[in-house]
Amino acid sequence: MKPIATTVVGCLALVAVVLGMFVYSVTRTHTLSPGELRELGVFILPEARELQAFSLVTAQGEAFEPSDLRGRWSFMFFGFTHCPDICPTTLAVMAEAERQLATELGGSAGFHGVLVSVDPQRDQGAVLADYVAAFSPSFTGVTGRRQDIGEFARDVNVAFVKVPAPDGGYSVDHSGQIVIINPQGQYHGFIKMPHVAETIVQTYQALDAG
C-alpha cells in the first residue's frame, strides 16, 4: 500500500474511533453519583442494613418473607387502599417509572414495586390485589398482622398510626418515603417526597450500575 493510501486509511480509522467515542458519550445513560442522588431527595445508607426476620402475606394469601426481596431492586411504599391522595399518586409514579425502565431496557427491568398496607383491617385479598394491579400487574400487595407490619415498618424507618375520623370511621397517617431494598434483601436507602418518575428511574439506573 502506498504511503498516502496508508495515511488516509489511518486517518479514517482514527476518525471512526473518535466518532464512536463521541456517539457513546452522547447516547449513554449518565449514572448519578450519591451526591447527585441526594440533591434529588434520594438518600443511600452508608452501609446497607440487614432486615430482621419478618412474615407477612401477599394479597393472594401467600407468605411474604425476606427471601421474596432478594434478587432484584425493590421500591417499597407503605400506604393503604383508602388513602385519598399520597398513596395513589405515589403508586402511579412508581408504575410510570417501571414503564420507562422497561422501555429503555427493552424488557423487564428487574424493578419490583411493593405496597405494604398499613390498614390490614380493610386491605385483604381481592381488595388489595385489585388496587395494586390497577397501577401495575407486576406490583406486589402485602399485608399481615398489625404488629408484624409495625415491626417491619420500624426496621426501615417508616411510621404509621391509626387516626379516628369524625364519622366514626378512621384513616391512617403514615410516612411518605419510598423504601429501597437491594437485591440482597437489605435496607439500602429511601426516596423523599415529592415523588417523580424520572427520579426513581435515575435512582434505579445508578444503583443497578453500581
Side-chain angles (χ1 to χ4, degrees):
M1 183 178 292
K2 296 181 178 179
I4 294 179
T6 301
T7 301
V8 170
V9 170
C11 290
L12 291 175
L14 179 60
V15 169
V17 170
V18 172
L19 181 60
M21 293 177 65
F22 172 76
V23 171
Y24 173 74
S25 67
V26 170
T27 59
R28 72 184 178 90
T29 301
H30 171 60
T31 301
L32 300 184
S33 67
E36 290 173 316
L37 288 174
R38 196 175 302 112
E39 291 179 359
L40 295 175
V42 183
F43 295 84
I44 304 303
L45 301 182
E47 184 173 345
R49 183 192 306 169
E50 294 289 344
L51 297 176
Q52 298 181 30
F54 62 85
S55 182
L56 301 174
V57 62
T58 68
Q60 289 71 33
E62 301 172 348
F64 187 81
E65 299 174 336
S67 59
D68 294 296
L69 291 174
R70 298 192 184 113
R72 53 186 172 173
W73 288 96
S74 296
F75 289 72
M76 181 180 296
F77 186 72
F78 288 72
F80 62 114
T81 64
H82 286 71
C83 179
D85 40 40
I86 180 177
C87 301
T89 299
T90 300
L91 288 173
V93 168
M94 289 171 58
E96 175 59 27
E98 181 190 47
R99 286 190 291 270
Q100 289 185 25
L101 285 167
T103 298
E104 292 183 19
L105 300 182
S108 175
F111 177 96
H112 185 204
V114 181
L115 170 66
V116 180
S117 172
V118 294
D119 185 11
Q121 181 177 331
R122 294 181 292 195
D123 294 348
Q124 297 284 345
V127 172
L128 181 57
D130 292 346
Y131 183 82
V132 173
F135 297 97
S136 171
S138 68
F139 281 9
T140 302
V142 178
T143 186
R145 297 188 308 166
R146 182 172 295 277
Q147 178 181 346
D148 295 334
I149 298 170
E151 292 176 354
F152 181 52
R154 285 191 292 273
D155 207 19
V156 292
N157 297 331
V158 169
F160 65 91
V161 61
K162 188 174 181 179
V163 181
D167 61 2
Y170 68 90
S171 185
V172 185
D173 287 347
H174 56 87
S175 303
Q177 71 264 35
I178 295 174
V179 174
I180 303 171
I181 306 294
N182 66 28
Q184 289 71 49
Q186 302 166 316
Y187 177 35
H188 200 84
F190 62 93
I191 305 175
K192 293 178 60 177
M193 292 179 61
H195 299 303
V196 180
E198 184 60 29
T199 296
I200 299 175
V201 168
Q202 292 177 310
T203 300
Y204 175 88
Q205 291 172 331
L207 294 174
D208 197 51

